[in-house]
Amino acid sequence: LPTPITRGSGLVGRLPHPSPTRRLAPIRSSFPPLAASPSELGMADPPKTNKPLGPPRSRGSRGVSRGGSRAATAASRMSRGSGSSGSSRKDSDTVDEDGTKTPKLNPPRKPTSRAYGSVRARIRVRGGRPMMQGFANVGSVFDEAKSEELHPQIIKMARRSGQLNLSNRGMHEVPDKVYHIHEMDADEAKKMMMGMSMDSTDDDRWWEQTDLTRLYLSSNCLSSISPKISNLMSLQVLDLSDNCLTSLPSTIGELTCLHRLNLSHNRLEELPAGLFLISDLRSLQLDHNQLSSLSNDLGNLTVLEYLDVSHNALTELPASIGYMQRLSKFNASNNKLQELPYEIGDCFGLNQLDLNQNELKGLPDSIGNLQKIEQLYLRYNSIQILPPLHNCASLKELHLGFNFIKEIEAEQLNHLTGISVLDFETIRLMICLIR
């Protein structure tokens, strides 16, 4: 044993010498291996194939454990989506030359688009015209099957604003919902039965709804209008221009609040009698149609201010036009008029009169009574004598080009103190009169 160390002895203590370390022998177990090879069990080795059993998987794929077999994983995947019969050639497995079946993977399915699912604007060309589809144009009006049904978003906005614009939609008929836009359909009634009342945040609030006052149906393929148009009693503006209309319902006369009616660029040959019962009509556009005559009931539109019947086949104008004393602009150009009624001089509010490109041979003397006339267009006619214009002191432009007028007396021009443009035989003279 080493000598113990004491205090003050002056001896240096000795530490015991370390014993040498021994290496441990490896532990050998007598247990059998967990799995035996097929040859040890007396079984034949499986056939070897050079063809891979499935597509390589990325690191981020799921559903395959590290120790699992690729072949088992691919086979289990095919068994999930395959049917019991397996009669389809696309779903059947491929067989190699050595008899090994290799499962065939189906391509991923493309997601199908849902109706009204896109909130982005898409541009498509229909009939040579670019069209916007999607919520950029207040929602898509029609669904993917092109059934003429209004989108719920448009119905909501029409109820709130009182305006409905269905122009340039390629419609062949007006959706029936337009004539009943303030009536609840089956879906809305079902929501109310389920407790979703109309005062909720998702639906329209009934106190915010307004009557439909403006309806735009121009640039479509409409051939007729339903008599149900009379349901829109509060309608003030109706635009049916640029369609294929051949007739109008007589119930259009029940739109007593209508102020402006546009029927231009259609195929109308006659007008219903109810049209002349709209006593509050201010603007009527009938240009570019196939009208050959106008009813004498035209004079019932006593508050009409703008009338356009150009580009038709009219041969005469009704005498009742003299009752339209508020008429300020009248366009009857590009017709077959041979004479004007004497009553046209009674339109005291007439400011602009366009009679270009007709077959007029003369003018009535009453045309000199138009005190407020400022622009008078008489080009491309067969007029030989110009009547005196004594009371046309407000006249500023007189267009007489391409006629058969031989002379104009100086007395006729003396009364035209405000004239600035005189078009005579394709020569436009600027006359400056010094008072």
Side-chain angles (χ1 to χ4, degrees):
L1 294 177
T3 306
I5 302 174
T6 59
R7 182 176 296 180
S9 60
L11 298 177
V12 178
R14 297 180 181 180
L15 296 177
H17 190 277
S19 61
T21 59
R22 298 180 181 179
R23 295 183 179 179
L24 299 178
I27 301 175
R28 296 181 181 180
S29 62
S30 61
F31 297 100
L34 296 178
S37 62
S39 59
E40 295 177 355
L41 297 176
M43 300 174 57
D45 295 336
K48 298 181 180 180
T49 57
N50 297 327
K51 191 170 184 179
L53 298 179
R57 297 179 57 86
S58 59
R59 295 182 178 179
S61 60
R62 298 177 297 177
V64 181
S65 60
R66 296 184 178 180
S69 175
R70 294 186 178 179
T73 304
S76 61
R77 288 189 174 182
M78 293 300 102
S79 62
R80 293 176 186 175
S82 60
S84 58
S85 61
S87 59
S88 177
R89 298 183 63 183
K90 294 183 180 181
D91 297 336
S92 61
D93 300 337
T94 59
V95 181
D96 297 341
E97 297 179 356
D98 51 1
T100 305
K101 293 184 178 181
T102 304
K104 185 176 181 179
L105 298 178
N106 295 329
R109 297 181 180 178
K110 296 181 180 180
T112 57
S113 58
R114 300 173 58 186
Y116 319 119
S118 176
V119 295
R120 296 183 180 179
R122 294 175 293 176
I123 300 177
R124 293 184 180 179
V125 178
R126 180 183 296 173
R129 299 178 179 177
M131 299 178 61
M132 299 292 296
Q133 294 186 353
F135 284 93
N137 197 12
V138 202
S140 178
V141 180
F142 307 118
D143 56 7
E144 295 181 353
K146 297 183 179 179
S147 61
E148 297 180 352
E149 297 180 358
L150 287 179
H151 190 282
Q153 186 69 16
I154 280 192
I155 298 177
K156 291 181 180 181
M157 297 194 67
R159 289 173 176 175
R160 294 177 182 177
S161 63
Q163 302 181 11
L164 180 58
N165 189 354
L166 299 179
S167 301
N168 197 11
R169 302 289 180 180
M171 299 186 302
H172 292 272
E173 61 180 1
V174 181
D176 189 69
K177 184 62 178 178
V178 174
Y179 306 119
H180 308 279
I181 194 167
H182 288 290
E183 299 179 6
M184 286 194 308
D185 53 12
D187 294 338
E188 293 175 344
K190 184 177 180 180
K191 288 182 180 180
M192 294 191 66
M193 293 297 294
M194 294 174 60
M196 300 177 63
S197 58
M198 294 296 291
D199 57 351
S200 62
T201 58
D202 297 334
D203 299 330
D204 294 334
R205 298 180 175 90
W206 61 269
W207 60 84
E208 293 182 355
Q209 294 184 14
T210 58
D211 295 334
L212 190 65
T213 58
R214 295 174 180 265
L215 179 58
Y216 301 93
L217 298 171
S218 61
S219 302
N220 283 290
C221 303
L222 305 177
S223 58
S224 62
I225 298 297
S226 173
K228 298 178 183 179
I229 191 68
S230 60
N231 294 343
L232 308 176
M233 296 295 296
S234 302
L235 207 60
Q236 299 179 4
V237 177
L238 178 58
D239 190 353
L240 295 170
S241 61
D242 195 12
N243 278 284
C244 305
L245 297 176
T246 57
S247 62
L248 294 174
S250 59
T251 55
I252 197 173
E254 300 179 16
L255 303 178
T256 56
C257 297
L258 198 61
H259 292 168
R260 188 173 68 186
L261 178 60
N262 190 350
L263 297 171
S264 61
H265 293 85
N266 280 283
R267 302 174 184 176
L268 298 174
E269 297 182 359
E270 59 180 1
L271 300 175
L275 177 62
F276 306 104
L277 299 178
I278 310 176
S279 58
D280 205 17
L281 195 61
R282 310 292 177 86
S283 175
L284 179 59
Q285 295 177 248
L286 298 170
D287 56 288
H288 293 87
N289 278 280
Q290 301 175 8
L291 300 175
S292 57
S293 62
L294 293 176
S295 173
N296 198 40
D297 295 334
L298 182 65
N300 296 336
L301 307 177
T302 55
V303 297
L304 196 66
E305 299 177 356
Y306 177 70
L307 177 60
D308 190 351
V309 294
S310 61
H311 295 274
N312 280 281
L314 299 176
T315 57
E316 61 180 0
L317 296 177
S320 61
I321 195 173
Y323 295 104
M324 306 169 65
Q325 298 185 1
R326 292 190 182 183
L327 189 64
S328 61
K329 293 183 179 181
F330 180 37
N331 188 356
S333 61
N334 293 273
N335 280 282
K336 300 179 181 180
L337 299 176
Q338 297 181 358
E339 60 180 1
L340 297 178
Y342 185 85
E343 290 78 6
I344 195 172
D346 297 335
C347 299
F348 301 113
L350 203 57
N351 181 270
Q352 179 180 344
L353 178 59
D354 191 350
L355 298 171
N356 286 338
Q357 296 187 2
N358 278 281
E359 300 176 2
L360 295 174
K361 298 180 180 179
L363 298 174
D365 294 339
S366 61
I367 200 171
N369 298 331
L370 302 178
Q371 301 179 1
K372 296 183 179 181
I373 189 71
E374 295 182 0
Q375 298 175 350
L376 181 58
Y377 297 90
L378 299 170
R379 293 165 57 90
Y380 293 96
N381 281 281
S382 302
I383 301 174
Q384 298 180 1
I385 299 176
L386 182 67
L389 305 175
H390 299 300
N391 297 326
C392 299
S394 301
L395 189 61
K396 298 180 180 179
E397 298 183 14
L398 179 58
H399 300 268
L400 298 172
F402 296 96
N403 278 282
F404 298 102
I405 299 177
K406 297 181 179 179
E407 59 180 3
I408 297 179
E409 298 180 0
E411 296 179 357
Q412 296 178 346
L413 299 179
N414 291 336
H415 300 281
L416 305 178
T417 57
I419 194 170
S420 58
V421 177
L422 177 60
D423 183 4
F424 180 71
E425 293 293 340
T426 70
I427 298 176
R428 183 172 297 175
L429 301 177
M430 303 298 296
I431 302 177
C432 299
L433 302 178
I434 303 177
R435 297 182 181 180

